[in-house]
């Protein structure tokens, strides 16, 4: 089968499509015939060498945190799934994979997948796995948003940002989206009450906010200062500079900068699917690439300025 793999740490040019053995599911595992996978920040960081503690230094390394497709086979004790079920899920973000989601087939533990929303195509489903899960954890669990909160979503046009705007609106927030001005119509349609152009809006010209969801990772302390009394802030953009700001903010107690790394499992995927089924969350896809074009998809992600996700489609593997 074909799989996208990282052959050395570096730019998107280190990605290759290789022929590898099709994996076999063991006890408690499911083999998924992948139809689509999206590009996430985690994929880019691993490829660039920023997570060597996780990925290791032995190549090739698989790429593609998430996937959507159909169950091709199950191991013993993989209860709840049948061949042909449409599913979505992720590989484990803190483990090394020689084959990951951007491949014709992937094997994962059954607890890392769930039935995909019936009304979504594989491309649409793949675009929401990580973004929807991350946004839901950020708002509901990390900063414990409640109805009426004034919410700023920074980097609102990205994969996590577009989901966060929708979920914050669905949860009763007064939503301000910070993004490129050209995305204002899209974000208003997703539920933003106000859209600010990040190119001309400095932190001191915003707020105060009860909740700040950051997907960018820079100027964290400047934005943290725009929190109202009792406000909470979370960032999902982890880098050496953002981690330093997060650590320094601990002196501010409840108004510190929170951070987490999303690791969606079955229950969380079901919860995201419920928002989709109720019409409160919809996919936003910027562009679609074939598996052979995964390097171009990574490059588009790194350039930024897009609306939604870059999704890679995968040819159906042979039986």
């Amino acid at each position: 089968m074909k799989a996208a793999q990282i052959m050395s740490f570096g730019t998107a040019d280190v990605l290759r499509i290789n022929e590898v053995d099709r994996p076999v599911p063991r006890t408690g595992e499911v083999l998924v015939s992948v139809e689509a996978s999206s590009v996430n920040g985690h994929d880019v960081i691993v490829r660039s060498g920023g997570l060597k503690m996780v990925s290791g230094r032995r190549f090739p390394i698989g790429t593609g945190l998430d996937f959507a497709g159909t169950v091709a086979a199950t191991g013993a004790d993989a209860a709840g799934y049948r061949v042909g079920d449409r599913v979505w899920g992720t590989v484990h973000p803190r483990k090394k994979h020689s084959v990951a989601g951007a491949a014709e087939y992937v094997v994962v533990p059954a607890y890392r997948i769930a039935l995909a929303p019936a009304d979504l195509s594989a491309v649409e489903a793949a675009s929401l796995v990580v973004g929807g899960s991350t946004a839901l954890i950020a708002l509901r669990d990390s900063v414990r948003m409640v109805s009426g909160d004034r919410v700023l979503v920074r980097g609102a046009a990205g994969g996590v940002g577009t989901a966060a705007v929708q979920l914050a609106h669905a949860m009763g927030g007064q939503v301000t989206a910070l993004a490129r001005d050209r995305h204002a119509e899209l974000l208003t349609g997703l539920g933003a009450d106000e859209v600010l152009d990040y190119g001309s809006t400095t932190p001191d010209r915003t707020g105060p906010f009860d909740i700040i969801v950051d997907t960018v990772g820079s100027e964290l302390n400047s934005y943290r200062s725009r929190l109202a009394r009792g406000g909470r802030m979370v960032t999902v953009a982890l880098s050496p500079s953002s981690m330093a700001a997060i650590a320094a903010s601990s002196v501010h107690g409840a108004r510190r900068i929170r951070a987490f790394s999303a690791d969606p499992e079955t229950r969380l995927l079901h919860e995201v699917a419920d928002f989709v089924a109720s019409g409160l969350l919809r996919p936003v896809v910027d562009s679609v690439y074939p598996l052979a074009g995964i390097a171009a998809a990574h490059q588009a992600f790194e350039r930024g300025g897009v609306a939604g996700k870059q999704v890679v489609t995968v040819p159906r593997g042979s039986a």
Side-chain angles (χ1 to χ4, degrees):
M1 72 171 197
K2 293 180 172 61
Q5 295 180 307
I6 301 163
M7 305 308 293
S8 63
F9 294 127
T11 66
D13 294 334
V14 303
L15 292 166
R16 295 287 184 274
I17 308 302
N18 294 326
E19 291 284 343
V20 302
D21 292 335
R22 190 174 81 173
V24 177
R26 297 175 296 183
T27 299
E29 294 182 333
V30 176
L31 175 70
V32 177
S33 176
V34 179
E35 297 176 46
S37 176
S38 78
V39 179
N40 295 281
H42 178 274
D43 304 314
V44 172
I45 295 172
V46 169
R47 191 209 72 216
S48 302
L51 283 175
K52 294 185 180 75
M53 292 290 290
V54 172
S55 68
R57 299 170 184 266
R58 294 184 63 183
F59 300 97
I61 298 169
T63 189
L65 179 60
D66 55 32
F67 55 85
T70 59
V71 174
T74 62
D77 297 328
Y81 298 102
R82 297 177 297 179
V83 172
D85 283 344
R86 296 184 64 253
V87 296
W88 60 353
T90 68
V91 299
H92 199 299
R94 293 185 292 277
K95 292 184 179 180
K96 179 187 175 179
H97 306 277
S98 60
V99 173
E104 289 188 324
Y105 291 90
V106 66
V107 159
V108 292
Y111 65 82
R112 301 205 64 82
I113 65 171
L115 295 177
D119 294 335
L120 297 186
S121 68
V123 166
E124 292 170 329
S127 76
L128 272 178
V129 175
V130 171
S133 300
T134 301
L136 183 56
I137 295 172
L139 289 164
R140 185 190 63 190
D141 303 332
S142 184
V143 295
R144 300 185 183 277
M145 180 195 157
V146 297
S147 181
D149 276 344
R150 296 162 294 179
V151 182
L152 173 68
V153 179
R154 186 169 176 239
V160 176
T162 51
V165 167
Q166 295 177 78
L167 292 176
H169 173 73
M171 295 164 69
Q174 301 174 34
V175 185
T176 298
L178 186 61
R180 293 179 186 265
D181 189 58
R182 66 172 179 267
H183 299 317
E185 183 177 354
L186 166 68
L187 293 167
T188 299
L190 294 178
D193 299 287
E194 180 183 28
V195 180
L196 301 178
D197 179 16
Y198 90 93
S200 59
T201 304
T202 55
D204 60 291
R205 296 176 61 187
T206 66
F209 300 102
D210 302 301
I211 300 291
I212 296 177
V213 177
D214 171 82
T215 73
V216 180
S218 61
E219 298 183 276
L220 294 182
N221 286 316
S222 295
Y223 279 96
R224 194 203 63 78
S225 70
R226 308 314 299 162
L227 288 173
R229 184 175 182 179
R232 289 89 68 203
M233 179 176 176
V234 60
T235 183
V236 300
L238 302 182
S239 67
S241 61
S242 67
M243 292 301 290
I246 292 163
S249 76
S250 62
V251 299
H252 297 288
R255 296 175 73 243
R256 70 189 184 279
I257 303 168
R258 297 159 171 83
F260 66 93
S261 177
D263 184 14
E265 297 181 358
T266 300
R267 180 177 177 180
L268 182 60
L269 292 169
H270 283 317
E271 292 169 338
V272 174
D274 288 342
F275 279 99
V276 174
S278 63
L280 299 174
L281 178 64
R282 66 178 175 88
V284 180
V285 177
D286 180 80
S287 49
V288 180
Y289 300 80
L291 183 63
I294 191 170
H298 273 234
Q299 290 164 350
F301 178 93
E302 292 178 284
R303 284 195 299 270
V306 299
K309 297 284 289 192
Q310 289 76 39
V311 179
V312 174
T313 56
V314 182
R316 297 300 298 272
S318 58

